[in-house]
Amino acid sequence: MPGRVSRRIQAALTVLLPSLVLLLPFPGPVEAQEAREVQQAPEVGEAQDLRPMEVADLFRQNSMGQVQLSPDGSTILYTLTPGSFPDPGSRHSQIHMARVDGSMDRAMTHRRDAANRDPRWHPSGSLFGFTSTRENGRQLYLMPVDGGEARRVTDLPGGVQGWGWSADGRYLAVLGGRGANRQIWITDGSAEGAMEPLTEHPTPVSSFHWRESGHEILFLADDGWDEGDHRRREAGFRARPIQRGLVFPDFLELHPTHLWQVTVGAEPRRMTSGDFIVQGFQDSPRGDRVALVVGPLDPHVDNRPNEIHLLNPATGALEQLTDNEVGESLVGFSPAGTHLAISAPRDFQGSGVSDIFVRPVDGGEWTAVTGAFDNTLLGGVWSEDGRAIHFVGADGVNRQLFRVGIEGGEVERLSDWRGVAAIRGGGAGPLAIVGFTTPEAPEDLYAVPWNRVGDRDAWTRLTDSNPWVEEVRLARTETVRWTSTDGTEVEGLVVYPLDHDPNRRYPLVTDIHGGPAAAYVNEFLPTSSNPHRAYGHYWASLDYALFLPNYRGSSHYGHDFQVEIVGDYWTRATEDIHTGIDHLIEEGLAHPDSLLMMGWSAGGHWSNWMLVTTDRFKAIATGAGVTNWISLYGQTDNQSSREWYLGRDAGLNAPNQPWHDFDHWWAESPLKYIENAVTPTLIHFPQADQRIPMPQGQELHMALKKLGVPTEFLVYPDELHALQDPRNQLVKLMGEVGWFETWLRGRGPWLDWTNVLNVAEEIEAALAEP
């Protein structure tokens, strides 16, 4: 059946994707570059049994979500979101259970008409709970570990927004209700009794957490409540005053948000007060402190700064631990509660790489324990003995596991692999749950003792999330390095055409990542969590080569590499991209007359810049990219990034706005040079994008139209910065492929809606098959 559907999908694309082989000879073999990391091609016989990647496969990928280890460390619960079309897959995510010895992995929920999430173990390990949308909105369900029918235990108007058991399992608390009636409800640990209100707060409770010991709950709630604003929402009135960008609450008055404590059977007690917002909190294991992330009340000041405070619950004393102009986040208390770790930009300033800072809870200075690690780090987990922190660290196109001691700051590299690791669970116990992916395999979960986490032979595979990949002949993915104009070594990835012949040159699609402080890595592309990540295996099946450069400004290569574009956004990155393409031409892979460019967000920025600074590309597809930095400053929800890159100073009171240096901001705007544009350009824009709003696309499209440059403008209604609707993702894909085919090979139309609808039907049929 998969083969039959696959051929029908390819047939539906026939009109759009003709004669995909560019028969231009290249004399002589391609020399292998030093230090390349290459996926070995399958044997001939093996390859003949596999099929190329197809459009349906881009929507087929299952993705891992929340992971929780059982109290005895023997089993995990995790969410799996199936790939889907035409609706987003999150609408039917499922709960799975797997043993850490690899002996079992099974689905505990099965209904495709419900989104199941938030799995948690009862402290006894005898049952677990989860929320589901199967009945009356999102409600809470309990299930024994041996399976059986899930039992619904709530019926709250507006559904359940949070829930959890007390540490001893005696009580079950639920956050639910609509409007001002969103409160905390409580019942016995098995939910056999009635749900009773624990709070009757005058404003809605926004979140809660059981304290580490006893029967006390910490919760957050606003000091004020606008009933009229709530009623206009309920009545469907969408007009409203907004703050700076829709990432902030969209009502005029903002109220302080504060921490409260309530003990079962007692009245709530206020823990904080003042003109600020408690954005998040974490309780110490020994119960003597609560760490708070505190932000400013007025978002017009800035959306970056927040400060870390320590609260003494017994006395109410609040100690401020940081005072700067950047944002910090909590890594957490050490297992014994003696130290607190946070993550913040290096030296608590700027916008380059971050460090993990550690401080004794009872007093002392912050120590940047990862100061010797000059690269991007992602997350951190305390070791069981509290003497070190494990973290994922960038290693160019790979992500490795590291350990740093909190005394002395010695960083130990624990792994050296081709791929991307993520710490997905396990906490400060002896066992780690690791997610791992490569260009040939989507992410799966593995269990391994922390003291052997870098040894792949010690890993136990827990899941096989995407078995369909074994049916697909995947492209060879290679790490490539070249020297840029100023002598800097730059790195990226190349995905080869599926039947690569070293004696031929191929059309080259250069796909620029967003950010710009991001990087392409050795993961399976596209990732289900990011629909704009390059779909390399599909381009390869169409006989294209794909180039994914990590240009200057990218993360994963240290602080200096990442911040080098500050104040001069384009020069070094543009040189890096061009010299990378030149390298692939010199290597004999790319044909110099068959170059194509695409990108989204910051990748759209560079696509627009290439449009006005070079004519080497046959066609460009640009998505959600800047045209005019000056107008963008007032349109975007994020001024701070523009102040950093264009204003050249991240300080809150620095002269870093456009009116301080109009000439510089205009000189960096692609629109200034628009009369140089000659390349046919497809423009994508989400209509509700607040990060790079659609007027940026309108400015570009209007200018190209007036200048007579071939252009089309695809608009995606109701979408924000990242496309979430699979239908829109399909239109984007088919539009890009069609645009390149039209201008590279002279075949059109660039977008045929009959083809789009036919392919959509075939995808839906393919995904419906067992």
Side-chain angles (χ1 to χ4, degrees), residues 595-614:
L595 304 177
L596 305 143
M597 166 72 69
M598 63 186 292
W600 192 273
S601 193
H605 302 348
W606 261 274
S607 298
N608 294 348
W609 188 251
M610 293 294 186
L611 169 65
V612 300
T613 58
T614 182

Side-chain angles (χ1 to χ4, degrees), residues 280-318:
F281 64 91
Q282 188 176 114
D283 193 21
S284 167
R286 62 186 187 184
D288 63 336
R289 296 290 191 278
V290 179
L292 307 179
V293 181
V294 174
L297 179 62
D298 184 0
H300 285 92
V301 174
D302 198 86
N303 64 330
R304 279 171 290 174
N306 55 41
E307 307 297 348
I308 304 298
H309 291 64
L310 271 183
L311 172 70
N312 185 325
T315 65
L318 193 62

Side-chain angles (χ1 to χ4, degrees), residues 455-506:
D455 179 6
R456 287 297 307 276
D457 292 336
W459 289 21
T460 299
R461 183 170 179 171
L462 308 184
T463 63
D464 185 10
S465 61
N466 289 279
W468 60 269
V469 174
E470 296 179 2
E471 304 171 2
V472 179
R473 186 177 170 211
L474 300 175
R476 176 174 136 216
T477 302
E478 178 178 296
T479 301
V480 61
R481 301 180 182 94
W482 66 96
T483 302
S484 192
T485 306
D486 66 340
T488 298
E489 184 179 75
V490 187
E491 186 177 65
L493 295 172
V494 173
V495 183
Y496 280 76
L498 201 56
D499 293 305
H500 175 239
D501 179 351
N503 295 309
R504 280 184 51 207
R505 294 180 184 266
Y506 291 83

Side-chain angles (χ1 to χ4, degrees), residues 12 166 261 373 645 717 734:
S166 60
Q261 178 176 294
F373 183 76
Y645 286 111
M734 295 188 68

Side-chain angles (χ1 to χ4, degrees), residues 9 42 70 84 103 169 210 234 242 255 308 330 451 471 563 656:
I9 292 176
S70 64
S84 68
S103 63
W210 284 99
E234 293 285 295
I242 65 169
H255 303 286
I308 304 298
L330 293 171
N451 60 7
E471 304 171 2
V563 304
N656 53 18

Side-chain angles (χ1 to χ4, degrees), residues 54 127 200 232 409 414 495 517 530 596 613 681 753:
E54 299 147 359
L127 73 156
E200 294 181 357
R232 69 94 182 158
L414 302 177
V495 183
N530 189 339
L596 305 143
T613 58
T681 301
W753 286 110

